[in-house]
Amino acid sequence: MMAEIITKNLLLVPCSLDISKSLIIHRQELEKRSPIVIPKHWPSLFIKGILPLYIERLEKDETELCWGVWLIIEYKDKQIIGDFYLKGKPDAEGRVEFCHHLNPEFSIDHTHEALYAFTDWLLLEKSITAITTHCTLEQELLINAFGKLGLICTDRDQDYLTWSLKKIEEDIHD
């Protein structure tokens, strides 16, 4: 499995065990030594909350690396602008769920670029049959992006929307 995604403006990479631990234990030292700028507002509160669980997953099974926290790095300024979080390996039916957080100071084009690249990567993975993500009703730009990606709104719980995309396997006949 490919461990990085490269686009025109972005690099998406899984967050290693070392970086995950450093974010919790030695953040100031990590900020000083990292060639990539780690903004004060990153990681999001959600990622901060799941980092200990993610670290446990990685310590038990290093193959979890691509199925957890991903960093979204912008080339030009060499800084982290957001993250993706996969809630684990595909389930028995091949479904995965992800969420994402991007710094709103960056253009919606960066958001689209990251979403398109990450979704494409997921759909190329043979073990995945469907992907799911979420947004709120007021996130009109995300709703538009999800629609362009082919995701379908499958559930609405008040202002919370669930989006899904099932991979269609084409029959190959000789």
Side-chain angles (χ1 to χ4, degrees):
M1 173 185 275
M2 182 174 60
E4 66 180 25
I5 303 167
I6 301 169
T7 71
K8 179 181 173 191
N9 299 297
L10 306 171
L11 173 65
L12 286 66
V13 294
C15 187
S16 70
L17 179 59
D18 289 341
I19 291 174
S20 299
K21 286 181 176 180
S22 294
L23 282 168
I24 293 175
I25 301 167
H26 305 290
R27 179 170 176 121
Q28 289 179 336
E29 191 65 28
L30 178 64
E31 287 176 7
K32 286 179 194 173
R33 293 181 183 214
S34 176
I36 304 296
V37 175
I38 302 170
K40 297 289 182 203
H41 65 273
W42 187 86
S44 64
L45 289 175
F46 175 78
I47 295 297
K48 282 180 186 176
I50 59 96
L51 268 176
L53 299 172
Y54 178 61
I55 290 168
E56 281 183 33
R57 282 175 42 199
L58 287 176
E59 287 177 336
K60 288 179 186 172
D61 180 1
E62 62 187 33
T63 66
E64 288 284 339
L65 180 64
C66 291
W67 304 107
V69 178
W70 283 69
L71 311 178
I72 303 170
I73 301 167
E74 196 263 344
Y75 291 137
K76 189 177 89 174
D77 296 325
K78 293 186 173 99
Q79 69 175 314
I80 297 173
I81 64 168
D83 52 71
F84 283 103
Y85 177 65
L86 280 163
K87 296 183 178 181
K89 292 179 180 181
D91 66 15
E93 296 174 16
R95 297 176 300 207
V96 293
E97 186 174 340
F98 76 91
C99 57
H100 59 282
H101 305 91
L102 277 96
N103 182 341
E105 294 174 16
F106 284 85
S107 75
I108 191 64
D109 291 340
H110 281 82
T111 300
H112 287 176
E113 188 173 338
L115 281 169
Y116 294 151
F118 196 67
T119 303
D120 282 348
W121 178 82
L122 289 170
L123 292 174
L124 288 172
E125 175 57 38
K126 289 181 173 140
S127 62
I128 295 175
T129 61
I131 58 175
T132 302
T133 192
H134 308 276
C135 72
T136 60
L137 197 54
E138 67 253 8
Q139 292 177 299
E140 292 178 26
L141 295 172
L142 278 179
I143 291 170
N144 185 37
F146 291 157
K148 286 181 180 178
L149 282 167
L151 279 86
I152 297 167
C153 184
T154 57
D155 192 26
R156 178 178 175 181
D157 184 5
Q158 295 184 31
D159 291 342
Y160 193 71
L161 304 173
T162 300
W163 295 82
S164 297
L165 178 63
K166 292 182 181 179
K167 185 164 51 171
I168 299 171
E169 295 293 329
E170 295 180 4
D171 291 336
I172 300 173
H173 300 286
D174 292 332

